[in-house]
Amino acid sequence: MCLQKQAKQSQLALQQAEQNAFNLLSKWDDDEQFTLLAKRKLTLSNEAFAHYRDVHCQYFKSLGGGAITNALEMRRLTCVTKLNYRQADHLGHELSDLNLKNK
């Protein structure tokens, strides 16, 4: 199924964006206590997003009503893909103006 592949690709893009965010925070030119706090909060944010995405996309799937199972799954996968890419983009923009160390 093509949508399954797209959902997997979007998950990989999200994981890359999350890793990039951690890498940028490691280069942040601020006190280590703030870097560690930001990394902990990023981890919590990533977990909350994954939970939100899963629940929201199940809701979106349910809006298909009595459609056949494949159509319902297509709705869910489309939702997952869109939200993953949106979150990956959001993570990139959040740290775009972070003051980095000169190393």
Side-chain angles (χ1 to χ4, degrees):
M1 176 181 262
C2 186
L3 285 174
Q4 286 177 333
K5 184 176 179 181
Q6 290 176 3
K8 286 180 184 179
Q9 289 173 337
S10 73
Q11 182 63 35
L12 291 174
L14 177 58
Q15 289 170 343
Q16 184 63 52
E18 290 170 348
Q19 186 60 52
N20 289 344
F22 276 102
N23 292 343
L24 283 173
L25 287 173
S26 295
K27 298 174 185 177
W28 187 19
D29 191 14
D30 209 329
D31 293 337
E32 185 177 356
Q33 66 180 352
F34 300 117
T35 300
L36 293 174
L37 177 63
K39 286 180 176 181
R40 281 195 300 270
K41 296 298 183 179
L42 177 59
T43 298
L44 291 173
S45 176
N46 292 343
E47 291 169 357
F49 169 76
H51 178 73
Y52 163 77
R53 180 201 55 216
D54 294 344
V55 171
H56 178 76
C57 291
Q58 286 297 329
Y59 157 71
F60 189 71
K61 176 181 174 179
S62 75
L63 294 177
I68 60 172
T69 304
N70 282 350
L72 295 174
E73 184 62 5
M74 289 170 61
R75 288 181 65 83
R76 188 189 71 78
L77 290 172
T78 298
C79 176
V80 167
T81 300
K82 286 181 180 181
L83 290 180
N84 281 345
Y85 281 129
R86 188 177 301 152
Q87 180 69 1
D89 187 54
H90 185 70
L91 285 171
H93 287 340
E94 284 179 341
L95 300 175
S96 63
D97 62 351
L98 197 65
N99 189 21
L100 302 179
K101 297 174 186 172
N102 291 328
K103 282 184 166 183

